[in-house]
Amino acid sequence: MQGQDVKRALFEVLEDTGKRKVAARTLRQFLVFLILANIVLAVLETVPEVRQILNTYLSFVQLGCGFIFLVEYILRLYVADLHPPLRRYGPFWARVRYAMHPDAIVDLIGALPLLFVLFLPNQALTVVVILRLLRFLKLARYSPALRSLISAVAGERKALLGSTMIIFGVVLLAATVMYLIEHSHQPEKFRSILHGMYWAITTVTTVGYGDVVPVSNLGKMVASVVMFMGYGLIALPVGIIASAFAREIHSRDFVVTWSMVARVPLFEDLKATEIAEVAKLLQAQNVRKGSTIAEKGAVADRMFFIADGEVEIRLPHETVYLGVGSFFGELALINQTRRTANITAYRDCQLLVLEADALHHLMDRDGELAKKIMDEAKERAHEGKKILGELAEEELQQAGVFASMDDAREEPELFGEEDKDEADGPDKKPPEDPKPQ
């Protein structure tokens, strides 16, 4: 059992899941630094003066980095069967399937230079240099923007292939026409259509080295047309990639936002379209480290989702830290009481804010949505869900501190007094006034 605990801890740190956020973030930052340092060293190692002075030190550093990347790859392979999509395949086939994943292949590429240096020290110099530079691809694992760009290019591959064919067709046509016009004037520079394609490529891409230029009037006229066409042709794939990248970023942000809203107990039973309507109400807010998000005693009238950063909530007997993907302030959406704790940004934060008034306006417009939310609130109250201060049971569990709470109260105040009377049942009679003496 102890071995399984260690394996689970390794998985949570390597894959940045679970409660070991600090260790996972530290490891991620260290690996990113190591990747960038390796790229810089691989480039410097090709400079003769630097190699002559620091050759021994560079070799030791590269061997050390290669060993770290090899250990990382082996450990990721070791915990691969803990990935939720791979568990059903068993330990062996889960690792085989993981090894075929693009991220795992990139990790293997990062570890290969060490193996080449150890077993083929003389024959693999060029391959080792290339593989060291390819470690740059490992950054895709830690850069959502880079992954989104790769996904955007992959998603628009058909459109990009089509635009490439158009550009190639124009290059071929321009090279053919220029060969026919300029061959008699410059037989050495336009000896064939292939030589003309060099001029066409430099012209269409708007580079224009000037080493091959038309000298006839007709050739200059054709060159002018090709130059103008080049601006539009190059803009075609650039526009496709830019629009796809923007769409990918928007889709990723929407999915992340949607999933955070769907995790809130009040909204977990809503339909996808209804969750999307709630997600539209979210407003972005950036908070600097140490700044106050909400003060004790202020009216709790908004809920917060943490898109990035970490928040500190100082309760009377406990300090709670919530990180990326967590939410807090659910009770503020239904019953706007006074806040019982100071909430500050432990690190620079990007928050998504859901105001109670905005949710109430949406509930006023959509009676079915309002009924689902209120029914969930009443059900949780009857189940005796606990709260501490203004944090509901699910919010406390995000920080892993609920088990130590001795001052938690039963039945969170998720709705007002009128709704409580309704939750007690229609047959329950109010207490009679005492008879006058």
Side-chain angles (χ1 to χ4, degrees):
M1 186 62 183
Q2 187 66 27
Q4 285 297 321
D5 292 340
V6 173
K7 186 176 181 179
R8 169 60 63 177
L10 281 173
F11 175 76
E12 291 179 354
V13 173
L14 287 170
E15 301 299 335
D16 196 8
T17 60
K19 301 173 183 177
R20 294 174 172 83
K21 297 293 185 183
V22 176
R25 181 169 57 249
T26 302
L27 177 63
R28 182 172 65 250
Q29 292 173 350
F30 171 71
L31 289 175
V32 169
F33 169 78
L34 209 60
I35 293 167
L36 295 175
N38 265 263
I39 296 170
V40 173
L41 291 176
V43 173
L44 291 177
E45 201 171 359
T46 61
V47 180
E49 293 80 6
V50 174
R51 186 171 63 250
Q52 184 177 1
I53 299 173
L54 302 175
N55 185 43
T56 304
Y57 300 104
L58 290 175
S59 298
F60 278 118
V61 171
Q62 290 287 9
L63 286 174
C65 294
F67 178 76
I68 293 174
F69 288 134
L70 180 61
V71 171
E72 180 203 1
Y73 176 74
I74 294 174
L75 290 178
R76 289 188 186 276
L77 207 59
Y78 170 63
V79 301
D81 58 324
L82 294 182
H83 285 270
L86 301 178
R87 290 174 186 169
R88 64 179 184 272
Y89 297 110
F92 176 77
W93 289 110
R95 293 185 175 98
V96 171
R97 286 178 173 268
Y98 176 80
M100 302 302 295
H101 192 272
D103 284 345
I105 294 174
V106 170
D107 290 335
L108 178 61
I109 292 174
L112 282 179
L114 176 65
L115 302 178
F116 277 109
V117 169
L118 293 178
F119 298 104
L120 298 170
N122 298 322
Q123 294 86 346
L125 179 60
T126 304
V127 176
V128 168
V129 172
I130 294 174
L131 290 177
R132 284 174 179 170
L133 292 176
L134 286 178
R135 285 173 177 167
F136 173 79
L137 298 175
K138 287 174 66 69
L139 290 176
R141 179 190 292 275
Y142 310 106
S143 174
L146 186 56
R147 295 181 74 92
S148 296
L149 179 59
I150 294 173
S151 178
V153 173
E156 296 293 336
R157 59 187 180 276
K158 293 183 178 179
L160 290 173
L161 179 61
S163 64
T164 302
M165 294 300 295
I166 294 173
I167 295 173
F168 178 77
V170 172
V171 167
L172 182 60
L173 178 61
T176 303
V177 173
M178 192 59 65
Y179 165 73
L180 296 175
I181 296 173
E182 291 291 323
H183 176 67
S184 58
H185 300 281
Q186 303 181 80
E188 290 299 322
K189 293 184 177 180
F190 289 93
R191 284 180 289 176
S192 65
I193 294 179
L194 289 176
H195 289 81
M197 288 185 68
Y198 167 77
W199 167 86
I201 291 173
T202 59
T203 304
V204 168
T205 56
T206 69
V207 175
Y209 290 115
D211 52 342
V212 180
V213 295
V215 294
S216 64
N217 292 331
L218 183 58
K220 292 179 181 179
M221 292 175 60
V222 172
S224 301
V225 174
V226 174
M227 290 176 193
F228 280 113
M229 292 180 62
Y231 287 106
L233 291 173
I234 297 303
L236 189 59
V238 172
I240 292 173
I241 294 174
S243 60
F245 182 59
R247 186 168 60 250
E248 189 72 21
I249 292 292
H250 177 75
S251 300
R252 187 195 68 193
D253 291 344
F254 175 79
V255 170
V256 171
T257 303
W258 189 93
S259 62
M260 286 195 295
V261 174
R263 288 176 52 239
V264 179
L266 278 181
F267 307 138
E268 61 185 3
D269 291 331
L270 301 182
K271 296 185 293 186
T273 53
E274 293 170 334
I275 294 176
E277 288 297 320
V278 175
K280 291 178 181 178
L281 303 177
L282 298 180
Q283 299 179 0
Q285 178 181 351
N286 294 325
V287 184
R288 302 291 297 177
K289 177 180 178 180
S291 300
T292 300
I293 298 173
E295 293 184 353
K296 182 178 179 180
V299 177
D301 59 354
R302 58 190 61 189
M303 180 181 184
F304 298 90
F305 299 86
I306 306 175
D308 190 25
E310 193 171 7
V311 166
E312 179 186 66
I313 303 177
R314 299 175 184 172
L315 299 170
H317 304 289
E318 190 88 24
T319 299
V320 177
Y321 295 92
L322 298 178
V324 178
S326 300
F327 60 89
F328 61 94
E330 176 196 12
L331 303 180
L333 296 179
I334 304 300
N335 189 20
Q336 299 175 25
T337 58
R338 298 286 177 178
R339 294 201 182 274
T340 58
N342 287 320
I343 304 173
T344 58
Y346 189 69
R347 292 185 175 85
D348 290 348
C349 293
Q350 294 179 5
L351 304 176
L352 297 174
V353 184
L354 176 59
E355 295 185 353
D357 289 343
L359 179 62
H360 291 166
H361 289 154
L362 178 61
M363 293 169 64
D364 291 340
R365 298 195 307 268
D366 191 336
E368 183 180 355
L369 173 66
K371 184 177 183 303
K372 288 182 179 180
I373 294 177
M374 297 308 300
D375 287 346
E376 176 64 28
K378 295 172 186 177
E379 181 180 346
R380 294 178 66 207
H382 286 306
E383 289 176 357
K385 292 288 186 177
K386 295 181 179 181
I387 64 170
L388 186 71
E390 63 186 79
L391 295 182
E393 181 174 327
E394 292 82 1
E395 296 171 357
L396 293 166
Q397 290 173 347
Q398 293 175 140
V401 297
F402 184 75
S404 65
M405 296 300 183
D406 297 325
D407 300 318
R409 295 185 287 115
E410 296 287 338
E411 188 177 344
E413 299 177 0
L414 288 177
F415 38 87
E417 292 297 329
E418 295 180 359
D419 295 312
K420 282 186 178 180
D421 293 338
E422 295 178 5
D424 289 334
D427 297 332
K428 184 173 180 179
K429 297 180 180 180
E432 298 180 357
D433 294 331
K435 295 181 180 181
Q437 300 294 328

